[in-house]
Amino acid sequence: MTVIPVVPAHPGLPIVGSDERFPVRRAYCVGRNYGDHAREMGANPDREPPFFFSKPTDAVYALDEGLPLDGLGPGRVPYPPLTSELHHEVELVVAIGVGGKDISADTALEHVWGYALGFDLTRRDAQAVAKRMRRPWDLAKGFDASGPSSAIVPASQIGHPATGRIYLEVNGELRQQGDLADQIWSVPEVIAALSRTITLTAGDLIFTGTPAGIAALAHGDIVTAGIDGVVTTSFIVD
């Protein structure tokens, strides 16, 4: 008799002010969506067409609840193996509530359910090797616990933030700071571009890029980050 393994369902992300949860289906990330970050990466800061990569769904988890499969407590992020350059990238995350394809930028915000603060954690040394050898970035960007996130704030509570400071501090030292208005491609433009490539569905998340100041994290570092008027969160690197 063949026994089919039971795969645990993704618990989704908590919702601010509610006992309900937002179901997470897929997670996409926009590369180099802030000019200052593009420059620090040695890339063109102009409005070239946006490009995307993805993280596994189970790489995204709620920081205030911890990582259930590893038994890691709330507010903790595990330092991944096979890297000595774990870099932080703080980002506005868009939670899609209404799916669609070939969405226009003019109507894109009608598809947004809410927003969160997420981290595109990166094995920078592994990414550099992949770039040099012209290999995929998957294991540099999509490793276990590489997308920790705050709870989701409904757009019905805060609207659709297009401006506002986004920042990250490590051990009280400011590392990253920018403004949502500095994005090369706005949230509506990002949604429109992505929907021309894939069909968006309720439950999809889009990490919208990070400002300059990315740097390495070490065991025991305390990270505090936020987007003014949206949400703040923090974690310890375990």
Side-chain angles (χ1 to χ4, degrees), residues 69-107:
L69 293 181
D70 283 3
L72 206 63
R76 308 193 81 84
V77 167
Y79 197 101
L82 302 179
T83 185
S84 59
E85 292 184 49
L86 174 64
H87 278 203
H88 55 73
E89 298 187 18
V90 62
E91 312 202 4
L92 172 72
V93 178
V94 177
I96 298 296
V98 178
K101 62 181 179 179
D102 294 323
I103 298 167
S104 73
D106 291 340
T107 63

mmCIF file of all heavy atoms in Angstrom, residues 69-107:
data_model
loop_
_atom_site.group_PDB
_atom_site.id
_atom_site.type_symbol
_atom_site.label_atom_id
_atom_site.label_comp_id
_atom_site.label_asym_id
_atom_site.label_seq_id
_atom_site.Cartn_x
_atom_site.Cartn_y
_atom_site.Cartn_z
ATOM 1 N N LEU A 69 8.096 25.250 11.574
ATOM 2 C CA LEU A 69 8.734 23.979 11.254
ATOM 3 C C LEU A 69 10.086 23.819 11.950
ATOM 4 O O LEU A 69 10.525 22.708 12.226
ATOM 5 C CB LEU A 69 8.902 23.838 9.741
ATOM 6 C CG LEU A 69 7.608 23.714 8.937
ATOM 7 C CD1 LEU A 69 7.922 23.552 7.453
ATOM 8 C CD2 LEU A 69 6.786 22.526 9.415
ATOM 9 N N ASP A 70 10.766 24.922 12.234
ATOM 10 C CA ASP A 70 12.052 24.870 12.911
ATOM 11 C C ASP A 70 11.931 25.081 14.423
ATOM 12 O O ASP A 70 12.932 25.031 15.138
ATOM 13 C CB ASP A 70 12.999 25.943 12.347
ATOM 14 C CG ASP A 70 13.583 25.537 11.001
ATOM 15 O OD1 ASP A 70 13.192 24.467 10.515
ATOM 16 O OD2 ASP A 70 14.404 26.278 10.457
ATOM 17 N N GLY A 71 10.716 25.344 14.892
ATOM 18 C CA GLY A 71 10.529 25.600 16.299
ATOM 19 C C GLY A 71 11.157 26.902 16.763
ATOM 20 O O GLY A 71 11.445 27.095 17.945
ATOM 21 N N LEU A 72 11.387 27.815 15.831
ATOM 22 C CA LEU A 72 12.024 29.084 16.154
ATOM 23 C C LEU A 72 10.973 30.042 16.710
ATOM 24 O O LEU A 72 9.902 30.197 16.133
ATOM 25 C CB LEU A 72 12.672 29.667 14.906
ATOM 26 C CG LEU A 72 13.847 30.609 15.096
ATOM 27 C CD1 LEU A 72 15.008 29.870 15.749
ATOM 28 C CD2 LEU A 72 14.296 31.160 13.756
ATOM 29 N N GLY A 73 11.278 30.685 17.818
ATOM 30 C CA GLY A 73 10.306 31.526 18.489
ATOM 31 C C GLY A 73 10.031 32.826 17.761
ATOM 32 O O GLY A 73 10.704 33.174 16.787
ATOM 33 N N PRO A 74 9.020 33.572 18.235
ATOM 34 C CA PRO A 74 8.660 34.853 17.612
ATOM 35 C C PRO A 74 9.833 35.829 17.584
ATOM 36 O O PRO A 74 10.663 35.864 18.495
ATOM 37 C CB PRO A 74 7.538 35.373 18.522
ATOM 38 C CG PRO A 74 6.982 34.156 19.180
ATOM 39 C CD PRO A 74 8.146 33.230 19.363
ATOM 40 N N GLY A 75 9.890 36.608 16.487
ATOM 41 C CA GLY A 75 10.885 37.653 16.393
ATOM 42 C C GLY A 75 12.301 37.158 16.171
ATOM 43 O O GLY A 75 13.265 37.873 16.452
ATOM 44 N N ARG A 76 12.435 35.950 15.624
ATOM 45 C CA ARG A 76 13.763 35.410 15.388
ATOM 46 C C ARG A 76 13.883 34.933 13.940
ATOM 47 O O ARG A 76 12.942 34.396 13.367
ATOM 48 C CB ARG A 76 14.075 34.261 16.342
ATOM 49 C CG ARG A 76 13.842 34.620 17.808
ATOM 50 C CD ARG A 76 14.437 33.609 18.735
ATOM 51 N NE ARG A 76 15.864 33.803 18.938
ATOM 52 C CZ ARG A 76 16.379 34.646 19.824
ATOM 53 N NH1 ARG A 76 15.593 35.400 20.566
ATOM 54 N NH2 ARG A 76 17.686 34.757 19.959
ATOM 55 N N VAL A 77 15.055 35.156 13.354
ATOM 56 C CA VAL A 77 15.338 34.737 11.979
ATOM 57 C C VAL A 77 16.583 33.863 12.001
ATOM 58 O O VAL A 77 17.608 34.266 12.557
ATOM 59 C CB VAL A 77 15.565 35.969 11.069
ATOM 60 C CG1 VAL A 77 16.169 35.550 9.737
ATOM 61 C CG2 VAL A 77 14.252 36.703 10.842
ATOM 62 N N PRO A 78 16.527 32.666 11.440
ATOM 63 C CA PRO A 78 17.706 31.796 11.467
ATOM 64 C C PRO A 78 18.768 32.252 10.477
ATOM 65 O O PRO A 78 18.454 32.665 9.363
ATOM 66 C CB PRO A 78 17.138 30.431 11.057
ATOM 67 C CG PRO A 78 15.963 30.764 10.192
ATOM 68 C CD PRO A 78 15.386 32.028 10.756
ATOM 69 N N TYR A 79 20.025 32.174 10.890
ATOM 70 C CA TYR A 79 21.129 32.453 9.964
ATOM 71 C C TYR A 79 21.299 31.220 9.081
ATOM 72 O O TYR A 79 21.512 30.125 9.575
ATOM 73 C CB TYR A 79 22.418 32.749 10.732
ATOM 74 C CG TYR A 79 23.475 33.423 9.890
ATOM 75 C CD1 TYR A 79 23.680 34.788 9.981
ATOM 76 C CD2 TYR A 79 24.240 32.692 8.982
ATOM 77 C CE1 TYR A 79 24.641 35.429 9.203
ATOM 78 C CE2 TYR A 79 25.202 33.313 8.193
ATOM 79 C CZ TYR A 79 25.392 34.681 8.299
ATOM 80 O OH TYR A 79 26.331 35.305 7.516
ATOM 81 N N PRO A 80 21.208 31.382 7.761
ATOM 82 C CA PRO A 80 21.213 30.208 6.889
ATOM 83 C C PRO A 80 22.604 29.592 6.749
ATOM 84 O O PRO A 80 23.619 30.270 6.937
ATOM 85 C CB PRO A 80 20.741 30.772 5.541
ATOM 86 C CG PRO A 80 21.182 32.200 5.581
ATOM 87 C CD PRO A 80 21.042 32.630 7.010
ATOM 88 N N PRO A 81 22.681 28.312 6.398
ATOM 89 C CA PRO A 81 23.975 27.678 6.152
ATOM 90 C C PRO A 81 24.551 28.107 4.809
ATOM 91 O O PRO A 81 23.884 28.736 3.994
ATOM 92 C CB PRO A 81 23.622 26.178 6.138
ATOM 93 C CG PRO A 81 22.200 26.150 5.660
ATOM 94 C CD PRO A 81 21.558 27.378 6.242
ATOM 95 N N LEU A 82 25.794 27.763 4.596
ATOM 96 C CA LEU A 82 26.480 27.941 3.314
ATOM 97 C C LEU A 82 26.560 29.402 2.871
ATOM 98 O O LEU A 82 26.471 29.718 1.690
ATOM 99 C CB LEU A 82 25.809 27.095 2.223
ATOM 100 C CG LEU A 82 25.735 25.587 2.501
ATOM 101 C CD1 LEU A 82 25.027 24.875 1.361
ATOM 102 C CD2 LEU A 82 27.122 25.016 2.726
ATOM 103 N N THR A 83 26.718 30.299 3.830
ATOM 104 C CA THR A 83 26.946 31.703 3.499
ATOM 105 C C THR A 83 27.676 32.383 4.643
ATOM 106 O O THR A 83 27.526 31.996 5.815
ATOM 107 C CB THR A 83 25.635 32.455 3.221
ATOM 108 O OG1 THR A 83 25.937 33.783 2.783
ATOM 109 C CG2 THR A 83 24.760 32.545 4.459
ATOM 110 N N SER A 84 28.470 33.376 4.309
ATOM 111 C CA SER A 84 29.065 34.252 5.321
ATOM 112 C C SER A 84 28.660 35.695 5.063
ATOM 113 O O SER A 84 29.177 36.611 5.692
ATOM 114 C CB SER A 84 30.594 34.126 5.307
ATOM 115 O OG SER A 84 31.115 34.467 4.027
ATOM 116 N N GLU A 85 27.730 35.879 4.097
ATOM 117 C CA GLU A 85 27.250 37.218 3.747
ATOM 118 C C GLU A 85 25.729 37.207 3.615
ATOM 119 O O GLU A 85 25.191 37.260 2.516
ATOM 120 C CB GLU A 85 27.880 37.698 2.436
ATOM 121 C CG GLU A 85 29.368 37.966 2.506
ATOM 122 C CD GLU A 85 29.908 38.532 1.208
ATOM 123 O OE1 GLU A 85 29.310 39.497 0.688
ATOM 124 O OE2 GLU A 85 30.898 37.985 0.693
ATOM 125 N N LEU A 86 25.068 37.123 4.757
ATOM 126 C CA LEU A 86 23.611 37.230 4.778
ATOM 127 C C LEU A 86 23.243 38.708 4.792
ATOM 128 O O LEU A 86 23.525 39.414 5.764
ATOM 129 C CB LEU A 86 23.041 36.536 6.015
ATOM 130 C CG LEU A 86 21.532 36.696 6.219
ATOM 131 C CD1 LEU A 86 20.752 36.032 5.092
ATOM 132 C CD2 LEU A 86 21.109 36.148 7.580
ATOM 133 N N HIS A 87 22.650 39.199 3.711
ATOM 134 C CA HIS A 87 22.344 40.621 3.593
ATOM 135 C C HIS A 87 20.862 40.894 3.842
ATOM 136 O O HIS A 87 19.996 40.103 3.459
ATOM 137 C CB HIS A 87 22.717 41.129 2.199
ATOM 138 C CG HIS A 87 24.164 41.448 2.060
ATOM 139 N ND1 HIS A 87 24.654 42.330 1.114
ATOM 140 C CD2 HIS A 87 25.259 41.019 2.753
ATOM 141 C CE1 HIS A 87 25.969 42.427 1.225
ATOM 142 N NE2 HIS A 87 26.360 41.633 2.204
ATOM 143 N N HIS A 88 20.594 42.036 4.465
ATOM 144 C CA HIS A 88 19.229 42.498 4.687
ATOM 145 C C HIS A 88 18.769 43.374 3.532
ATOM 146 O O HIS A 88 19.545 44.159 2.974
ATOM 147 C CB HIS A 88 19.129 43.282 5.996
ATOM 148 C CG HIS A 88 20.086 44.436 6.102
ATOM 149 N ND1 HIS A 88 19.951 45.613 5.392
ATOM 150 C CD2 HIS A 88 21.213 44.590 6.846
ATOM 151 C CE1 HIS A 88 20.921 46.444 5.699
ATOM 152 N NE2 HIS A 88 21.722 45.844 6.578
ATOM 153 N N GLU A 89 17.497 43.240 3.152
ATOM 154 C CA GLU A 89 16.844 44.124 2.183
ATOM 155 C C GLU A 89 15.410 44.328 2.666
ATOM 156 O O GLU A 89 14.596 43.409 2.621
ATOM 157 C CB GLU A 89 16.848 43.517 0.767
ATOM 158 C CG GLU A 89 18.237 43.295 0.198
ATOM 159 C CD GLU A 89 18.218 42.862 -1.262
ATOM 160 O OE1 GLU A 89 17.180 43.064 -1.938
ATOM 161 O OE2 GLU A 89 19.242 42.318 -1.726
ATOM 162 N N VAL A 90 15.090 45.528 3.135
ATOM 163 C CA VAL A 90 13.759 45.819 3.658
ATOM 164 C C VAL A 90 12.864 46.307 2.523
ATOM 165 O O VAL A 90 13.291 47.090 1.672
ATOM 166 C CB VAL A 90 13.836 46.860 4.798
ATOM 167 C CG1 VAL A 90 14.387 48.191 4.314
ATOM 168 C CG2 VAL A 90 12.480 47.031 5.462
ATOM 169 N N GLU A 91 11.599 45.840 2.509
ATOM 170 C CA GLU A 91 10.742 46.126 1.361
ATOM 171 C C GLU A 91 9.261 46.284 1.751
ATOM 172 O O GLU A 91 8.787 45.625 2.683
ATOM 173 C CB GLU A 91 10.848 44.996 0.324
ATOM 174 C CG GLU A 91 12.283 44.608 0.017
ATOM 175 C CD GLU A 91 12.472 43.916 -1.315
ATOM 176 O OE1 GLU A 91 11.489 43.787 -2.074
ATOM 177 O OE2 GLU A 91 13.624 43.508 -1.585
ATOM 178 N N LEU A 92 8.570 47.131 1.018
ATOM 179 C CA LEU A 92 7.115 47.166 1.063
ATOM 180 C C LEU A 92 6.596 45.935 0.326
ATOM 181 O O LEU A 92 7.038 45.632 -0.786
ATOM 182 C CB LEU A 92 6.583 48.427 0.377
ATOM 183 C CG LEU A 92 5.063 48.505 0.181
ATOM 184 C CD1 LEU A 92 4.358 48.730 1.512
ATOM 185 C CD2 LEU A 92 4.708 49.612 -0.813
ATOM 186 N N VAL A 93 5.670 45.219 0.962
ATOM 187 C CA VAL A 93 5.084 44.028 0.353
ATOM 188 C C VAL A 93 3.623 44.307 0.021
ATOM 189 O O VAL A 93 2.868 44.812 0.861
ATOM 190 C CB VAL A 93 5.182 42.813 1.298
ATOM 191 C CG1 VAL A 93 4.530 41.585 0.666
ATOM 192 C CG2 VAL A 93 6.638 42.529 1.646
ATOM 193 N N VAL A 94 3.236 43.989 -1.188
ATOM 194 C CA VAL A 94 1.862 44.177 -1.662
ATOM 195 C C VAL A 94 1.140 42.827 -1.613
ATOM 196 O O VAL A 94 1.655 41.829 -2.143
ATOM 197 C CB VAL A 94 1.845 44.722 -3.100
ATOM 198 C CG1 VAL A 94 0.418 44.839 -3.621
ATOM 199 C CG2 VAL A 94 2.554 46.065 -3.160
ATOM 200 N N ALA A 95 -0.019 42.788 -0.991
ATOM 201 C CA ALA A 95 -0.822 41.570 -0.907
ATOM 202 C C ALA A 95 -1.993 41.676 -1.885
ATOM 203 O O ALA A 95 -2.834 42.577 -1.766
ATOM 204 C CB ALA A 95 -1.336 41.375 0.518
ATOM 205 N N ILE A 96 -2.030 40.787 -2.853
ATOM 206 C CA ILE A 96 -3.062 40.818 -3.886
ATOM 207 C C ILE A 96 -4.346 40.148 -3.381
ATOM 208 O O ILE A 96 -4.311 39.035 -2.856
ATOM 209 C CB ILE A 96 -2.570 40.102 -5.167
ATOM 210 C CG1 ILE A 96 -1.343 40.823 -5.742
ATOM 211 C CG2 ILE A 96 -3.686 40.016 -6.202
ATOM 212 C CD1 ILE A 96 -1.611 42.232 -6.211
ATOM 213 N N GLY A 97 -5.464 40.847 -3.556
ATOM 214 C CA GLY A 97 -6.751 40.308 -3.119
ATOM 215 C C GLY A 97 -7.663 39.920 -4.257
ATOM 216 O O GLY A 97 -8.570 39.107 -4.089
ATOM 217 N N VAL A 98 -7.443 40.503 -5.419
ATOM 218 C CA VAL A 98 -8.240 40.199 -6.613
ATOM 219 C C VAL A 98 -7.270 39.907 -7.743
ATOM 220 O O VAL A 98 -6.432 40.746 -8.071
ATOM 221 C CB VAL A 98 -9.170 41.368 -7.003
ATOM 222 C CG1 VAL A 98 -9.942 41.038 -8.266
ATOM 223 C CG2 VAL A 98 -10.127 41.692 -5.863
ATOM 224 N N GLY A 99 -7.371 38.727 -8.322
ATOM 225 C CA GLY A 99 -6.440 38.334 -9.366
ATOM 226 C C GLY A 99 -6.764 38.965 -10.716
ATOM 227 O O GLY A 99 -7.734 39.699 -10.875
ATOM 228 N N GLY A 100 -5.928 38.635 -11.693
ATOM 229 C CA GLY A 100 -6.155 39.123 -13.045
ATOM 230 C C GLY A 100 -4.892 39.046 -13.869
ATOM 231 O O GLY A 100 -3.800 38.816 -13.346
ATOM 232 N N LYS A 101 -5.031 39.225 -15.171
ATOM 233 C CA LYS A 101 -3.880 39.297 -16.060
ATOM 234 C C LYS A 101 -4.037 40.509 -16.960
ATOM 235 O O LYS A 101 -5.147 41.033 -17.152
ATOM 236 C CB LYS A 101 -3.731 38.026 -16.876
ATOM 237 C CG LYS A 101 -4.884 37.718 -17.812
ATOM 238 C CD LYS A 101 -4.623 36.416 -18.560
ATOM 239 C CE LYS A 101 -5.782 36.075 -19.494
ATOM 240 N NZ LYS A 101 -5.526 34.820 -20.236
ATOM 241 N N ASP A 102 -2.919 40.991 -17.499
ATOM 242 C CA ASP A 102 -2.904 42.185 -18.329
ATOM 243 C C ASP A 102 -3.632 43.342 -17.646
ATOM 244 O O ASP A 102 -4.449 44.050 -18.243
ATOM 245 C CB ASP A 102 -3.534 41.901 -19.696
ATOM 246 C CG ASP A 102 -2.713 40.907 -20.506
ATOM 247 O OD1 ASP A 102 -1.470 40.974 -20.413
ATOM 248 O OD2 ASP A 102 -3.304 40.074 -21.201
ATOM 249 N N ILE A 103 -3.323 43.512 -16.366
ATOM 250 C CA ILE A 103 -3.940 44.575 -15.563
ATOM 251 C C ILE A 103 -3.325 45.913 -15.954
ATOM 252 O O ILE A 103 -2.113 46.023 -16.145
ATOM 253 C CB ILE A 103 -3.722 44.294 -14.061
ATOM 254 C CG1 ILE A 103 -4.400 42.976 -13.665
ATOM 255 C CG2 ILE A 103 -4.224 45.449 -13.208
ATOM 256 C CD1 ILE A 103 -3.983 42.477 -12.293
ATOM 257 N N SER A 104 -4.141 46.936 -16.072
ATOM 258 C CA SER A 104 -3.619 48.262 -16.384
ATOM 259 C C SER A 104 -3.153 48.939 -15.106
ATOM 260 O O SER A 104 -3.668 48.685 -14.013
ATOM 261 C CB SER A 104 -4.695 49.125 -17.056
ATOM 262 O OG SER A 104 -5.673 49.520 -16.117
ATOM 263 N N ALA A 105 -2.155 49.807 -15.230
ATOM 264 C CA ALA A 105 -1.675 50.550 -14.069
ATOM 265 C C ALA A 105 -2.778 51.417 -13.475
ATOM 266 O O ALA A 105 -2.814 51.646 -12.260
ATOM 267 C CB ALA A 105 -0.470 51.403 -14.460
ATOM 268 N N ASP A 106 -3.703 51.880 -14.314
ATOM 269 C CA ASP A 106 -4.790 52.748 -13.842
ATOM 270 C C ASP A 106 -5.734 52.021 -12.893
ATOM 271 O O ASP A 106 -6.357 52.649 -12.034
ATOM 272 C CB ASP A 106 -5.585 53.302 -15.023
ATOM 273 C CG ASP A 106 -4.790 54.304 -15.852
ATOM 274 O OD1 ASP A 106 -3.793 54.844 -15.313
ATOM 275 O OD2 ASP A 106 -5.147 54.528 -17.020
ATOM 276 N N THR A 107 -5.874 50.714 -13.054
ATOM 277 C CA THR A 107 -6.815 49.948 -12.216
ATOM 278 C C THR A 107 -6.107 49.000 -11.259
ATOM 279 O O THR A 107 -6.767 48.261 -10.524
ATOM 280 C CB THR A 107 -7.780 49.131 -13.095
ATOM 281 O OG1 THR A 107 -7.026 48.165 -13.858
ATOM 282 C CG2 THR A 107 -8.546 50.036 -14.051
#
